[in-house]
Amino acid sequence: MNDKNYLTGDLIPKPLFQTIFLGFLVITMILIAFNGYREYQATSKFFEDESTESQSSVYEIGYLHITKVNHSADNNRNTRQYVTITGLSYPISEYAELSEVQMESNGLLMPGLVSHPSFVVTDENKSFWKSQFYWVLAYHSGGYLLLCMLIFAATLLRFRQGQKLFTKELKYAVYAFYGLIMAGYFLYAVIFGRMIHFLNQSTALNESLTAGISPELLNVGVVLLILIVLIEQAIPIQEEQNLTV
Amino acid sequence: MAIIVNLDVMLAKRKMSLTELSEKVDITMSNLSILKTGKARAIRFSTLEAICEALECQPGDILEYQEDEE
C-alpha cells in the first residue's frame, strides 16, 4: 500500500520553497531601490528641463503633482510649472475674495478643488519644491525598502525557527515593525508640515501645520502594540510547549 | 519536580549512547537532552512508547515518583 499522502505532503520541498520566497523578497528590494533611483532621476530631469515637448506634462509623487504647460502668445512661447497638492483639509482662506492677479502674486495660481490648490513654481521657490519632491520620494521609496528588509529578516528568522512560533525573536521583529510604522507616522507629518510652513509663509494658504497628521499609520501602530501584548502572553506558553518532548 | 527521569540509568544498562537512542527513536538530541536533564515539563505517550521500545524496558524503569521535600 502506498503510504504517501499527496494531500498532506508538500508540493515542492520546503528548502526550495524557502529559497524561492527569500529570493523573491531580494528581487523586490532591488526593484524598489532601482525604481526609487529612477524616480529621483525623473524628478531632477522634470525640474531641470525648461520646456516640454507636449502641450502639457504631469509628474507626480504621493500628494505632490507638478505640471508643465506651454503657453504661446504673440509668437512667444514659454513654459510654466505648477505644483498641485492633494488632500489638504481646509479650503484656502478667502480665496473667493482674491482676484486672479492677487492670487498669482501670492504664488497661488488656482484654487481648483478646495483641497487641491496649485502653486506657481518660480525661480525663488524652485529649489524648495525640488527638495520637497525628493523628501516625499525618499519617504516612499525608503519606507518600502525598509519594510521589505524587515519582512526579509523576519521571514528568514521564521524559517530558521521551524515549528516554534512565539519566541523572543518574533517579539523583537514586531517591535521593529512598530518602530518603523511610528517613525513613518512622525516623518510624514514633519515632511508635510515643512511644506505647509513654507506655503503659509509665502502664500495665503493659512493651513494648520498639523494637517499632515493622518490616523492611518497610527491605527496600524496601535494594532501592532496589541499584537506585542499578545505575543508577550504567548511566549511563556510556547516555552512550556518547548519543554514537552 | 516530583517525577524523576532515569534515562541515563537505562542507557547505561543497555550500553547505548544518547546519540544512538536519538537515531533509533527519531527524537532530536535537544529533546532527549531536555528529558535526561530533568527539564522536561511533559512527555507524550508516543515518545515514551518509542523510548521503551528502543531500550526494551517499561515506563516505570524510566520514570520514578519521589515526594517533594517541602
Side-chain angles (χ1 to χ4, degrees), chain A residues 190-234:
Chain A
V190 165
I191 293 172
F192 199 89
R194 172 183 185 260
M195 180 184 68
I196 297 299
H197 174 73
F198 173 79
L199 289 173
N200 284 348
Q201 301 273 304
S202 55
T203 71
L205 183 61
N206 206 25
E207 177 93 351
S208 163
L209 283 178
T210 56
I213 296 178
S214 73
E216 286 85 12
L217 282 179
L218 196 59
N219 292 341
V220 173
V222 168
V223 168
L224 287 173
L225 263 184
I226 293 171
L227 196 60
I228 287 169
V229 169
L230 290 175
I231 291 173
E232 290 268 17
Q233 301 294 318

Side-chain angles (χ1 to χ4, degrees), chain A residues 239-245, chain B residues 31 40-44 47:
Chain A
E239 282 174 353
E240 186 86 11
Q241 277 296 310
N242 292 347
L243 296 175
T244 298
V245 297
Chain B
N31 275 353
R41 294 298 188 98
I43 183 168
R44 297 185 189 91
T47 304

Side-chain angles (χ1 to χ4, degrees), chain A residues 2 20 51 70 91 102 125 170 194 209 217 242:
Chain A
N2 190 359
I20 290 171
S51 63
N70 287 332
Q102 281 175 313
N125 63 28
L170 178 69
R194 172 183 185 260
L209 283 178
L217 282 179
N242 292 347

Side-chain angles (χ1 to χ4, degrees), chain A residues 102-175:
Chain A
Q102 281 175 313
M103 278 201 265
E104 240 188 85
S105 66
N106 264 330
L108 172 66
L109 180 70
M110 44 188 153
L113 296 176
V114 291
S115 60
H116 296 49
S118 296
F119 303 90
V120 180
V121 176
T122 62
D123 289 336
E124 289 80 29
N125 63 28
K126 193 175 183 177
S127 63
F128 168 79
W129 285 119
K130 206 171 162 183
S131 67
Q132 187 67 18
F133 267 78
Y134 287 156
W135 274 113
V136 174
L137 173 62
Y139 174 82
H140 282 110
S141 291
Y144 283 129
L145 187 62
L146 278 174
L147 188 65
C148 211
M149 284 166 74
L150 261 181
I151 292 172
F152 178 86
T155 306
L156 190 63
L157 192 68
R158 281 296 308 127
F159 286 160
R160 285 198 181 152
Q161 284 178 333
Q163 297 300 319
K164 296 177 192 175
L165 176 60
F166 297 108
T167 59
K168 296 197 306 288
E169 290 77 17
L170 178 69
K171 186 177 72 170
Y172 297 146
V174 180
Y175 266 126

